[in-house]
Amino acid sequence: REEQLDRLLRDLDTEWEGFDHVDLTNAVLHLVRDRCRHHLLRALDAVHLASALLLQREGIDFEFVCSDQRLKDAASQEGFRVIDPAEE
């Protein structure tokens, strides 16, 4: 099990630079509050969704990647193409 975790962390380190990064600004926090209420999301899931919404507003095209069903549903409702790596 520890070997599997080490492999997953190495994969994350390798892929990290390819991710879009969003600073946790007041704009993100405002969307977090709104999206938590609308979709009944947990706080960090709402941060994930709010960050994606800000990138979308900037015209950045990307896939929304997550495995949590509630977050996948919320992202789909917001119009994102959702990829679940656990299903690939």
Side-chain angles (χ1 to χ4, degrees):
R1 186 167 188 154
E2 190 171 320
E3 290 175 10
Q4 183 181 19
L5 176 60
D6 288 342
R7 181 180 52 79
L8 290 171
L9 290 174
R10 279 193 307 275
D11 290 348
L12 177 62
D13 287 342
T14 301
E15 296 178 13
W16 186 255
E17 291 304 315
F19 295 156
D20 290 308
H21 300 257
V22 177
D23 292 330
L24 191 56
T25 62
N26 284 334
V28 173
L29 293 175
H30 178 74
L31 278 172
V32 165
R33 225 173 53 182
D34 181 56
R35 297 298 84 190
C36 274
R37 287 184 181 135
H38 185 74
H39 295 292
L40 301 176
L41 295 171
R42 294 177 298 240
L44 290 177
D45 290 339
V47 169
H48 187 173
L49 182 60
S51 298
L53 287 167
L54 286 179
L55 290 173
Q56 183 185 59
R57 290 178 182 177
E58 293 177 11
I60 298 172
D61 186 40
F62 59 94
E63 289 84 26
F64 191 97
V65 180
C66 70
S67 294
D68 178 82
Q69 188 60 52
R70 187 179 298 174
L71 182 54
K72 289 187 329 186
D73 292 344
S76 292
Q77 290 172 19
E78 295 287 350
F80 289 105
R81 293 182 312 273
V82 177
I83 295 176
D84 183 344
E87 295 177 355
E88 291 188 357

